[in-house]
Amino acid sequence: MVSIATWNINSVRLRIDQVERFLREHEPDVLCLQEIKCAEDKFPHEMFERLGYANRFVHGQKGYHGVATLSRLPATEFSRHDWQDNGEARHVGVELGGAGQGMVLENVYIPAGGDVADREVNPKFGQKLDFLERMTRWAEAIDRPTLIVGDFNIAPLDCDVYDHKALIKVVSHTAIEIETLGAFRDAHGWVDLGRKHIPVPERNWTWWSYRTFWQEKDRGRRLDHMWASPDLGAQSRAHRLVEDTRRWEQPSDHVPLITEFDL
DNA sequence: ATGGTGGGTAGCCCA
């Protein structure tokens, strides 16, 4: 059994003790973090080393964005894509189980896309769609079992948000984003593990705003995802959200997802 | 209801 977790941590240095608590309580074999918000030479390696996560792949930058994949299984770096072509650190891919064997694990932080769902008014929205389209071209060529995880910043299904009608014009749940993400899904036949294990229409939020009004009313969205190649998707045995962390002191606004595979 | 909160950073940007 192999367990893999993903978590948008919103500053790995600020919440390093929460990451340690999560690793001790859930013991995933691999953890993919997004929004580490630190340069690579500032990454807090010590805790991960101490807990046995000897293989660490950090794609970071000062201040913003950044991803890291921490593994206690053998792993080698496989790729770093810049799907916006602007130098932002939003992806790292690794091979688990030795070069040319096992699966490829892709850790991605898709851009949030700004506030206005119109690329003419808001360039960041266009960049988000362009990022997805470049990912789609990439996915068309995948020829190995692959798991892509991370903060997609899109809630694709009506039941992935607290109120579909109220959010259809809100970035993360607009028709154009959902359609563009759908093209990415179809390019490889990805299995949405969140919905394989927590079927529609069950509540499956992974993110709640820091703005307390939303939080108090449980106004969540499913922005974080774990999607597997078809064969690999058939090998998942369990999947869960760790909603507890959202109630820890000074939490990330996202919660971790964990999938266990029969491998 | 058209704000709000929370990061990193440096005189705002990003989420």
Side-chain angles (χ1 to χ4, degrees):
Chain A
M1 200 70 89
V2 172
S3 61
I4 298 175
T6 181
W7 193 6
N8 179 322
I9 192 63
N10 189 14
S11 176
V12 67
R13 288 177 295 176
L14 184 69
R15 285 185 252 282
I16 190 67
D17 292 343
Q18 296 187 40
V19 178
E20 178 168 0
R21 178 176 170 187
F22 170 74
L23 290 174
R24 289 184 181 281
E25 291 182 0
H26 296 276
E27 302 188 319
D29 294 308
V30 187
L31 173 62
C32 296
L33 295 173
Q34 300 87 39
E35 274 205 276
I36 61 173
K37 289 186 170 174
C38 73
E40 288 168 22
D41 62 0
K42 299 286 201 313
F43 187 82
H45 286 276
E46 185 275 332
M47 182 278 287
F48 296 100
E49 180 68 23
R50 187 157 41 80
L51 268 61
Y53 294 83
N55 303 295
R56 297 182 293 276
F57 309 90
V58 181
H59 188 185
Q61 65 184 92
K62 184 178 179 181
Y64 308 108
H65 322 307
V67 295
T69 297
L70 305 314
S71 176
R72 56 184 194 186
L73 302 176
T76 52
E77 182 161 325
F78 190 67
S79 59
R80 291 183 179 207
H81 293 296
D82 179 0
W83 283 310
Q84 273 184 128
D85 198 24
N86 68 355
E88 293 180 356
R90 294 181 177 274
H91 168 268
V92 66
V94 306
E95 286 182 290
L96 295 180
Q101 308 163 17
M103 74 162 91
V104 176
L105 173 57
E106 309 282 359
N107 177 359
V108 66
Y109 176 40
I110 294 177
D115 288 331
V116 182
D118 179 347
R119 69 159 72 223
E120 301 304 318
V121 178
N122 167 25
K124 283 193 215 165
F125 191 70
Q127 287 166 13
K128 180 179 194 175
L129 299 176
D130 293 346
F131 188 105
L132 287 160
E133 284 168 7
R134 289 192 174 104
M135 280 179 68
T136 301
R137 301 288 88 75
W138 161 81
E140 287 166 351
I142 292 173
D143 59 0
R144 294 181 50 181
T146 299
L147 177 67
I148 185 163
V149 308
D151 179 0
F152 288 14
N153 268 312
I154 297 175
L157 304 177
D158 291 4
C159 60
D160 287 339
V161 297
Y162 65 89
D163 185 338
H164 167 65
K165 284 185 181 171
L167 290 179
I168 51 177
K169 289 184 178 357
V170 174
V171 174
S172 75
H173 195 59
T174 63
I176 183 68
E177 290 170 272
I178 292 166
E179 178 187 323
T180 307
L181 184 63
F184 171 69
R185 183 196 59 231
D186 295 342
H188 185 63
W190 297 105
V191 177
D192 175 350
L193 296 172
R195 285 304 179 193
K196 172 183 170 181
H197 292 275
I198 307 174
V200 169
E202 280 185 58
R203 178 181 171 287
N204 199 8
W205 320 143
T206 69
W207 174 87
W208 294 258
S209 172
Y210 285 121
R211 294 156 186 170
T212 54
F213 188 85
W214 299 11
Q215 195 180 324
E216 285 162 11
K217 303 233 174 194
D218 194 28
R219 294 187 162 184
R221 305 181 204 171
R222 186 170 76 111
L223 302 181
D224 301 87
H225 300 270
M226 306 184 81
W227 288 11
S229 293
D231 292 353
L232 183 61
Q235 291 173 287
S236 70
R237 292 292 173 263
H239 174 91
R240 65 187 184 277
L241 307 174
V242 184
E243 220 176 291
D244 286 0
T245 64
R246 192 64 180 83
R247 292 181 288 272
W248 291 356
E249 190 178 340
Q250 200 175 25
S252 169
D253 46 351
H254 296 253
V255 300
L257 292 67
I258 306 173
T259 301
E260 295 176 6
F261 293 90
D262 198 2
L263 290 172

